[in-house]
Amino acid sequence: MATLSRSDAEQLLRFVADAESVGGDRPFTPELLLELGRLIEADWVTYHEVDHVHRRLLMYVLRPGDDDVEDDDTTDDEWEWELMNDHPVCRRWREDGCFGALRLSDVITRREFRRTRFYAEFFAPWGMEYELKTRLPSPPWHAKTFAFHRNGGRDFTTRDRLVLELLTPQFSRLW
């Protein structure tokens, strides 16, 4: 079982205290994602909410300085929704009925993933190779998700997944 170092635990507690001080209608601001990216190193850090019934992106928050990988706030193409529905981590969440922090590599090998249409359509164009996600508890039709992506290099660690797992209840409370 992964454990946090004292330094990691202190950073985590400082982050939670700082996140508590964020006010307003949007608890997950770009600045909060900037701080979150200091806890879990990634090339992209995002928070998004999706209405699966109406097939709409309700909210998309991007860390300042990251390239915007979203084109717009709606997705009209049926094939795109079908592909999104086939995301390996999201599929695992649906099968298990729980939404804990998962690395892409926890559910599919890199080799298998690179052979999927999902990879070809959504990851390859941006050079994304690794992903770590968590979904906040919510009704199945309203997904509230934090996502971390890395280009080449290395996968997310068990430490990264543990940090995100420990933060998920805090995010739920803040939401």
Side-chain angles (χ1 to χ4, degrees):
M1 177 185 205
T3 60
L4 291 182
S5 69
R6 181 184 181 109
S7 172
D8 283 339
E10 289 171 357
Q11 283 182 310
L12 195 67
L13 290 172
R14 273 194 302 277
F15 173 81
V16 170
D18 290 345
E20 288 280 339
S21 69
V22 174
D25 296 339
R26 301 180 102 191
F28 309 127
T29 63
E31 294 72 29
L32 183 90
L33 295 183
L34 193 61
E35 293 302 315
L36 188 53
R38 291 187 176 115
L39 283 173
I40 302 171
E41 180 185 325
D43 293 306
W44 286 278
V45 180
T46 62
Y47 171 76
H48 58 278
E49 293 185 23
V50 176
D51 176 345
H52 288 286
V53 172
H54 298 102
R55 296 182 174 202
R56 291 183 338 132
L57 182 63
L58 301 173
M59 180 184 297
Y60 180 73
V61 182
L62 181 67
R63 178 177 63 178
D66 290 353
D67 291 330
D68 192 353
V69 297
E70 293 293 323
D71 294 327
D72 58 28
D73 65 350
T74 61
T75 304
D76 296 325
D77 296 327
E78 185 67 26
W79 70 267
E80 192 169 333
W81 275 98
E82 290 306 316
L83 275 176
M84 293 302 285
N85 202 32
D86 202 36
H87 186 289
V89 171
C90 298
R91 189 173 53 234
R92 173 65 62 87
W93 285 336
R94 280 192 312 277
E95 290 168 0
D96 293 351
C98 60
F99 306 119
L102 286 174
R103 297 172 296 188
L104 193 56
S105 60
D106 291 329
V107 299
I108 191 170
T109 68
R110 186 170 179 208
R111 184 180 193 147
E112 290 170 324
F113 184 60
R114 292 184 104 200
R115 290 190 297 227
T116 67
R117 185 172 172 206
F118 186 91
Y119 174 82
E121 298 286 339
F122 291 102
F123 274 53
W126 291 92
M128 291 184 213
E129 294 292 328
Y130 304 103
E131 182 178 55
L132 171 66
K133 295 175 84 156
T134 193
R135 183 168 161 187
L136 306 185
S138 55
W141 56 267
H142 186 177
K144 298 180 273 189
T145 307
F146 283 90
F148 300 78
H149 295 97
R150 286 185 181 159
N151 292 339
R154 61 183 175 83
D155 196 358
F156 292 93
T157 65
T158 54
R159 176 253 176 222
D160 297 330
R161 187 179 59 209
L162 177 60
V163 167
L164 192 55
E165 189 72 35
L166 291 171
L167 285 174
T168 299
Q170 303 306 319
F171 293 145
S172 295
R173 194 173 45 74
L174 289 170
W175 191 90

